[in-house]
Amino acid sequence: MEILALGVQADEKPLLERAFTGHHALRCLDVFLTEDTAPIAAGYEVISTSVNADLGPRVLETLAAGGTRMVAQRSTGFNNIDLATAESLGLTIARVSYYSPYAVAEFAWTLAMAVNRRIVRASTRTRDFDFRLDGLMGRDMHGRTAGVLGTGKIGTAFARIAHGFGMRLLGWDVAENPACTQLGMRYVSKEQLLAESDLVTLHVPLMPETRHLVDAAALKGMKDDAILVNSSRGGLVDTAALVTELRAGRFTGVGLDVYEAEAGLFFLDKSLSAVEDDTLARLVTFPNVLVTSHQAYYTVEAVGQIVDATVKNVLDYTAGRRSENVLVPRS
């Protein structure tokens, strides 16, 4: 059987090809799954998709009509998949339930420190042989407060790094994590966490209950000089409200690796196109904002684990096995 993998990055392709060797043939395409590209999958029983694939009702119906029976998504998040429609169509859906939490946690810290110490501005200056320090003053993290919204594997990894900096830890989640409380983390309400934290980081899944978790009211409840980092899902932050606060001169820095309207933008070269997203265009103009294109997971270790899990998901499907990665089982 030949597997069709869509939205494959150049660095990812050799890892996928090597992992599938000896199991199934593999065709890799760099195009992303959308309503326009879904017909490409006709004749492929199994396809693999990337995190920004459109797996809404119309796409799923096109896939099913073309003979697709299994979708193996190469990500942990699955907010882009209409699971009810998939089940009604008899499609098997699997994801990657785990990969290196250190990849995302370390990148979140990279964003935090980059905006805190004005790294991008400093690098741009020195390229022009401008070695002034004006406007580059940052702050020690030691002794300050880190607020972690979501204390699962990634949030815990972030908290351990914060503990190493000598920071006070506040946490918010549906349940306390003993690994975090052992670090000295104190669980508080979201409102208290936002009000007291110098650094706020998001590590929760995107669900209807968490969409715009950081909304206009939450942003207004944060310290004026706080740092906000989101390396989880773009929809957790109300971006329009964030722009409003930034225009008012608030926040020391904002580091975003995700954006709520990133589908159709991130992972693509739009450098020669007119920017149609006015919110994103405004967001990247702020000197205290750093936006990256959903790359927090993009390490050799994490991508390798994602690829291995994807291969296992396909092999489980063909063998009729079910694992913790299956969101919609084989009918």
Side-chain angles (χ1 to χ4, degrees):
M1 180 169 61
E2 184 176 42
I3 314 299
L4 176 65
L6 295 140
V8 178
Q9 302 295 316
D11 297 331
E12 182 186 19
K13 183 178 179 181
L15 298 177
L16 271 170
E17 291 175 336
R18 185 161 54 247
F20 271 101
T21 299
H23 299 297
H24 294 289
L26 180 70
R27 180 187 180 195
C28 292
L29 298 178
D30 59 2
V31 297
F32 294 92
L33 182 63
T34 65
E35 288 187 26
D36 293 332
T37 62
I40 297 173
Y44 288 92
E45 180 180 351
V46 177
I47 69 167
S48 177
T49 58
S50 63
V51 65
N52 276 341
D54 177 356
L55 286 161
R58 294 182 63 177
V59 171
L60 291 172
E61 289 166 3
T62 300
L63 293 176
T68 297
R69 294 293 174 263
M70 192 265 184
V71 177
Q73 177 143 297
R74 303 186 305 279
S75 74
T76 298
F78 53 91
N79 55 283
N80 60 317
I81 308 174
D82 189 317
L83 298 179
T85 299
E87 184 175 13
S88 70
L89 293 169
L91 291 169
T92 299
I93 307 292
R95 58 150 181 173
V96 177
S97 59
Y98 173 86
Y99 61 83
S100 169
Y102 310 108
V104 180
E106 291 171 6
F107 193 82
W109 265 106
T110 300
L111 289 175
M113 295 307 295
V115 296
N116 176 38
R117 301 305 300 269
R118 315 290 197 265
I119 298 300
V120 175
R121 184 186 300 177
S123 177
T124 301
R125 282 187 185 178
T126 55
R127 282 177 175 271
D128 293 331
F129 295 95
D130 179 353
F131 300 105
R132 293 172 300 159
L133 298 182
D134 297 347
L136 300 183
M137 185 175 288
R139 301 182 299 177
D140 287 1
M141 287 290 113
H142 180 84
R144 295 188 181 273
T145 299
V148 184
L149 293 167
T151 56
K153 293 182 176 66
I154 297 172
T156 300
F158 186 96
R160 288 197 180 102
I161 298 172
H163 183 260
F165 272 96
M167 300 186 75
R168 171 182 176 238
L169 297 174
L170 296 179
W172 175 88
D173 210 325
V174 293
E176 296 187 8
N177 186 336
C180 289
T181 56
Q182 289 173 9
L183 296 172
M185 177 178 284
R186 185 162 61 92
Y187 281 83
V188 297
S189 67
K190 184 183 78 171
E191 291 73 20
Q192 183 177 348
L193 182 149
L194 294 173
E196 296 183 13
S197 296
D198 301 292
L199 167 60
V200 175
T201 183
L202 306 178
H203 300 292
V204 299
L206 179 60
M207 302 179 292
E209 300 81 10
T210 60
R211 179 169 293 278
H212 288 182
L213 179 69
V214 179
D215 57 11
L219 290 165
K220 289 185 182 299
M222 293 174 60
K223 291 183 176 183
D224 287 342
D225 60 352
I227 293 171
L228 173 65
V229 173
N230 185 10
S231 58
S232 184
R233 288 293 182 269
L236 298 174
V237 176
D238 183 338
T239 315
L242 176 60
V243 168
T244 297
E245 297 304 311
L246 288 165
R247 290 181 64 184
R250 300 189 64 223
F251 306 133
T252 289
V254 175
L256 303 175
D257 186 50
V258 287
Y259 173 60
E260 57 182 326
E262 69 183 56
L265 288 172
F266 283 18
F267 305 145
L268 298 171
D269 181 1
K270 296 290 186 177
S271 60
L272 299 179
S273 305
V275 179
E276 298 179 359
D277 189 322
D278 292 338
T279 302
L280 180 60
R282 184 69 181 94
L283 189 64
V284 298
T285 64
F286 292 104
N288 58 333
V289 174
L290 176 57
V291 178
T292 53
S293 54
H294 207 141
Q295 70 180 82
Y297 78 99
Y298 209 52
T299 67
V300 172
E301 292 78 10
V303 174
Q305 291 166 358
I306 290 169
V307 166
D308 290 344
T310 300
V311 173
K312 182 180 183 299
N313 288 341
V314 172
L315 296 179
D316 285 345
Y317 164 80
T318 56
R321 297 187 297 264
R322 183 175 177 177
S323 73
E324 71 280 0
N325 289 340
V326 175
L327 298 170
V328 179
R330 186 172 185 172
S331 57

